[in-house]
């Protein structure tokens, strides 16, 4: 059974710091990887998708994928209090319609 | 112009009742999903449809029945509601394989 593991946190970082969120997955055939942000009481919102090994940058966000080690990470530079949320990692097998989610990491950015 | 919309947003009902949650997407996506998010925030897939065809039905009590009248709609009907059904139910859609999913605003179901 596919598993997607995340540290539940909370991860607490000061404003302006880099927040590093990690995710490991068990299924070697996973091909598509996604990071979502979920504010309390709201729905998950897509931040980044990554499909190839290496880094992908979008503004203050960088997703890093290492398929050999089966991990994907999200870096948030210059963290802001508005980044405080739960970050969900999701993984899809190649040829699959179904994203499997981790349990999320709670991030707190304190002023 | 909401992309994935669910109704109702909140649903409070008594044990034993039957209720439905509706979902519509205007993104032209082929695949739609129902997820359940429990009190510990874990998002668990319940059902998925692709072009109106059921493609996954996880271990969900048969009191839950999805219906897809067309590829833009996926409704969830729940019979004989139980206390343990209380959760947030999210509808989502995606263009297809290997692509990201987009979520509706969620329906918070409370069974009393």
């Amino acid at each position: 059974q596919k598993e997607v593991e995340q540290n539940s946190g909370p991860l607490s970082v000061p404003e302006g710091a880099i927040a590093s969120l990690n995710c490991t997955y068990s299924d070697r055939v996973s091909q598509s990887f996604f990071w979502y942000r979920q504010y309390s009481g709201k729905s998950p919102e897509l931040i980044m998708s990554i499909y190839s090994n290496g880094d992908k940058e979008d503004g203050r966000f960088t997703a890093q994928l290492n398929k050999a080690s089966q991990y994907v990470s999200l870096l948030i530079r210059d963290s802001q209090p508005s980044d405080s949320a739960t970050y969900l990692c999701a993984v899809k097998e190649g040829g699959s319609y179904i994203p499997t989610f981790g349990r999320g990491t709670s991030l707190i950015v304190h002023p | 112009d909401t992309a994935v919309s669910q109704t109702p947003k909140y649903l409070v009902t008594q044990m034993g009742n039957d209720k439905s949650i509706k979902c519509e997407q205007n993104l032209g996506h082929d695949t739609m999903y129902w997820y359940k998010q429990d009190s510990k925030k874990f998002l668990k897939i319940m059902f998925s449809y692709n072009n109106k065809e059921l493609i996954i039905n996880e271990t969900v009590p048969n009191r839950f029945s999805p219906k897809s009248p067309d590829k833009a709609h996926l409704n969830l009907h729940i019979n004989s509601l139980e206390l343990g059904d209380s959760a947030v139910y999210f509808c989502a859609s995606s263009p297809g394989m290997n692509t990201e999913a987009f979520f509706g605003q969620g329906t918070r179901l409370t069974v009393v």
Side-chain angles (χ1 to χ4, degrees):
Chain A
Q1 184 174 352
K2 287 197 295 293
E3 288 190 358
V4 180
E5 299 286 343
Q6 296 181 255
N7 188 325
S8 62
L11 173 66
S12 183
V13 301
E15 184 174 357
I18 296 176
S20 178
L21 303 157
N22 299 313
C23 172
T24 60
Y25 57 95
S26 63
D27 194 336
R28 287 195 170 272
V29 298
S30 294
Q31 294 293 326
S32 309
F33 306 87
F34 311 98
W35 282 100
Y36 288 81
R37 176 176 61 200
Q38 187 174 24
Y39 292 113
S40 181
K42 299 295 186 183
S43 59
E45 172 194 8
L46 180 72
I47 301 175
M48 299 273 289
S49 52
I50 186 167
Y51 302 94
S52 306
N53 279 329
D55 294 1
K56 180 181 178 182
E57 188 175 316
D58 184 359
R60 295 187 297 113
F61 299 98
T62 299
Q64 299 175 318
L65 175 61
N66 184 324
K67 289 186 181 180
S69 301
Q70 294 177 239
Y71 82 78
V72 55
S73 61
L74 181 71
L75 301 178
I76 307 174
R77 288 183 299 283
D78 188 23
S79 296
Q80 301 297 308
S82 58
D83 295 326
S84 299
T86 297
Y87 288 80
L88 300 165
C89 172
V91 171
K92 271 190 178 180
E93 283 181 14
S96 171
Y97 293 99
I98 311 301
T100 299
F101 282 82
R103 290 182 177 269
T105 298
S106 174
L107 173 66
I108 299 171
V109 181
H110 52 87
Chain B
D1 48 344
T2 306
V4 183
S5 61
Q6 304 177 219
T7 54
K9 189 172 180 182
Y10 299 98
L11 186 52
V12 181
T13 187
Q14 291 188 323
M15 276 196 304
N17 283 351
D18 303 339
K19 290 293 178 186
S20 292
I21 308 171
K22 295 188 175 182
C23 179
E24 175 182 6
Q25 54 95 3
N26 62 5
L27 296 167
H29 289 170
D30 288 339
T31 306
M32 295 186 73
Y33 314 87
W34 278 110
Y35 280 87
K36 179 180 179 180
Q37 188 169 48
D38 60 24
S39 58
K40 296 186 178 178
K41 306 297 185 189
F42 182 45
L43 265 173
K44 189 173 185 323
I45 185 73
M46 299 175 69
F47 302 102
S48 180
Y49 274 70
N50 186 60
N51 278 321
K52 302 195 301 174
E53 299 294 323
L54 180 66
I55 56 171
I56 190 165
N57 179 353
E58 290 291 322
T59 308
V60 174
N62 58 15
R63 299 181 294 104
F64 291 80
S65 54
K67 280 194 171 53
S68 183
D70 55 61
K71 74 174 193 176
H73 295 83
L74 180 61
N75 304 322
L76 183 65
H77 189 75
I78 317 170
N79 289 328
S80 304
L81 278 154
E82 300 178 356
L83 292 175
D85 297 332
S86 296
V88 181
Y89 292 83
F90 285 103
C91 176
S93 72
S94 79
M97 286 184 202
N98 307 326
T99 56
E100 58 271 12
F102 297 89
F103 284 80
Q105 73 270 39
T107 297
R108 182 173 294 276
L109 171 66
T110 304
V111 183
V112 297

